[in-house]
mmCIF file of all heavy atoms in Angstrom:
data_model
loop_
_atom_site.group_PDB
_atom_site.id
_atom_site.type_symbol
_atom_site.label_atom_id
_atom_site.label_comp_id
_atom_site.label_asym_id
_atom_site.label_seq_id
_atom_site.Cartn_x
_atom_site.Cartn_y
_atom_site.Cartn_z
ATOM 1 N N ASP W 62 10.330 1.727 0.859
ATOM 2 C CA ASP W 62 9.276 0.795 0.487
ATOM 3 C C ASP W 62 9.872 -0.558 0.079
ATOM 4 O O ASP W 62 9.397 -1.613 0.496
ATOM 5 C CB ASP W 62 8.358 1.360 -0.591
ATOM 6 C CG ASP W 62 9.065 2.194 -1.647
ATOM 7 O OD1 ASP W 62 10.282 2.453 -1.534
ATOM 8 O OD2 ASP W 62 8.383 2.606 -2.596
ATOM 9 N N ARG W 63 10.938 -0.534 -0.687
ATOM 10 C CA ARG W 63 11.626 -1.783 -1.067
ATOM 11 C C ARG W 63 12.282 -2.415 0.162
ATOM 12 O O ARG W 63 12.303 -3.636 0.311
ATOM 13 C CB ARG W 63 12.692 -1.527 -2.143
ATOM 14 C CG ARG W 63 12.184 -1.057 -3.468
ATOM 15 C CD ARG W 63 11.278 -2.004 -4.239
ATOM 16 N NE ARG W 63 11.674 -3.400 -4.201
ATOM 17 C CZ ARG W 63 10.838 -4.422 -4.424
ATOM 18 N NH1 ARG W 63 9.585 -4.193 -4.688
ATOM 19 N NH2 ARG W 63 11.258 -5.648 -4.374
ATOM 20 N N ASP W 64 12.843 -1.576 1.043
ATOM 21 C CA ASP W 64 13.444 -2.091 2.277
ATOM 22 C C ASP W 64 12.406 -2.803 3.130
ATOM 23 O O ASP W 64 12.708 -3.838 3.740
ATOM 24 C CB ASP W 64 14.076 -0.955 3.085
ATOM 25 C CG ASP W 64 15.341 -0.403 2.448
ATOM 26 O OD1 ASP W 64 15.929 -1.086 1.585
ATOM 27 O OD2 ASP W 64 15.725 0.724 2.811
ATOM 28 N N LEU W 65 11.196 -2.278 3.189
ATOM 29 C CA LEU W 65 10.135 -2.941 3.950
ATOM 30 C C LEU W 65 9.849 -4.325 3.365
ATOM 31 O O LEU W 65 9.762 -5.312 4.111
ATOM 32 C CB LEU W 65 8.859 -2.097 3.957
ATOM 33 C CG LEU W 65 7.643 -2.753 4.606
ATOM 34 C CD1 LEU W 65 7.905 -3.136 6.059
ATOM 35 C CD2 LEU W 65 6.421 -1.849 4.480
ATOM 36 N N LEU W 66 9.718 -4.419 2.058
ATOM 37 C CA LEU W 66 9.465 -5.726 1.443
ATOM 38 C C LEU W 66 10.630 -6.684 1.692
ATOM 39 O O LEU W 66 10.419 -7.878 1.941
ATOM 40 C CB LEU W 66 9.188 -5.566 -0.052
ATOM 41 C CG LEU W 66 7.878 -4.847 -0.396
ATOM 42 C CD1 LEU W 66 7.766 -4.642 -1.905
ATOM 43 C CD2 LEU W 66 6.672 -5.585 0.153
ATOM 44 N N THR W 67 11.856 -6.181 1.653
ATOM 45 C CA THR W 67 13.028 -7.015 1.942
ATOM 46 C C THR W 67 12.996 -7.505 3.383
ATOM 47 O O THR W 67 13.243 -8.690 3.652
ATOM 48 C CB THR W 67 14.324 -6.222 1.676
ATOM 49 O OG1 THR W 67 14.369 -5.860 0.296
ATOM 50 C CG2 THR W 67 15.559 -7.043 2.019
ATOM 51 N N ALA W 68 12.681 -6.617 4.319
ATOM 52 C CA ALA W 68 12.593 -7.008 5.728
ATOM 53 C C ALA W 68 11.498 -8.049 5.934
ATOM 54 O O ALA W 68 11.682 -9.017 6.691
ATOM 55 C CB ALA W 68 12.336 -5.776 6.594
ATOM 56 N N LEU W 69 10.376 -7.881 5.250
ATOM 57 C CA LEU W 69 9.295 -8.868 5.375
ATOM 58 C C LEU W 69 9.723 -10.228 4.837
ATOM 59 O O LEU W 69 9.330 -11.264 5.371
ATOM 60 C CB LEU W 69 8.029 -8.364 4.679
ATOM 61 C CG LEU W 69 7.338 -7.202 5.379
ATOM 62 C CD1 LEU W 69 6.216 -6.639 4.508
ATOM 63 C CD2 LEU W 69 6.824 -7.613 6.753
ATOM 64 N N HIS W 70 10.542 -10.231 3.782
ATOM 65 C CA HIS W 70 11.067 -11.501 3.255
ATOM 66 C C HIS W 70 11.964 -12.189 4.283
ATOM 67 O O HIS W 70 11.952 -13.413 4.388
ATOM 68 C CB HIS W 70 11.851 -11.282 1.953
ATOM 69 C CG HIS W 70 11.006 -11.388 0.744
ATOM 70 N ND1 HIS W 70 10.646 -12.569 0.176
ATOM 71 C CD2 HIS W 70 10.422 -10.425 0.011
ATOM 72 C CE1 HIS W 70 9.883 -12.351 -0.868
ATOM 73 N NE2 HIS W 70 9.731 -11.052 -0.991
ATOM 74 N N LEU W 71 12.736 -11.398 5.022
ATOM 75 C CA LEU W 71 13.593 -11.983 6.053
ATOM 76 C C LEU W 71 12.770 -12.519 7.222
ATOM 77 O O LEU W 71 13.057 -13.595 7.756
ATOM 78 C CB LEU W 71 14.602 -10.949 6.551
ATOM 79 C CG LEU W 71 15.650 -10.506 5.543
ATOM 80 C CD1 LEU W 71 16.454 -9.334 6.082
ATOM 81 C CD2 LEU W 71 16.568 -11.671 5.190
ATOM 82 N N LEU W 72 11.764 -11.769 7.636
ATOM 83 C CA LEU W 72 10.912 -12.178 8.750
ATOM 84 C C LEU W 72 9.915 -13.273 8.367
ATOM 85 O O LEU W 72 9.617 -14.150 9.179
ATOM 86 C CB LEU W 72 10.133 -10.974 9.287
ATOM 87 C CG LEU W 72 10.947 -9.901 9.975
ATOM 88 C CD1 LEU W 72 10.084 -8.666 10.210
ATOM 89 C CD2 LEU W 72 11.519 -10.424 11.282
#
Side-chain angles (χ1 to χ4, degrees):
D62 37 355
R63 295 297 319 158
D64 289 342
L65 174 58
L66 292 175
T67 298
L69 290 172
H70 269 279
L71 293 171
L72 292 169

